């Protein structure tokens, strides 16, 4: 139970960090790179 809450909190934290990085990215190519890294990280789990 605690592990599930911890996993959900970590996932929310990662999602907020990705959203923040996407909002602060200046160019579309930087956004594409951030999304590619995030997708690679998620698919490795």
């Amino acid at each position: 139970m605690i592990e599930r809450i911890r996993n959900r909190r970590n996932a929310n934290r990662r999602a907020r960090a990705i959203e923040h990085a996407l909002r602060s990215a200046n160019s579309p190519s930087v956004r594409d790179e951030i999304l590619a890294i995030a997708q690679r990280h998620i698919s490795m789990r």
Side-chain angles (χ1 to χ4, degrees), residues 6-34:
R6 188 175 295 136
N7 288 341
R8 188 178 305 147
R9 188 185 317 141
N10 286 339
N12 286 337
R13 191 173 294 143
R14 273 192 301 272
R16 280 197 310 271
I18 291 167
E19 288 172 7
H20 177 73
L22 288 172
R23 274 196 302 273
S24 63
N26 295 328
S27 67
S29 61
V30 173
R31 279 190 206 96
D32 290 344
E33 194 64 33
I34 292 168

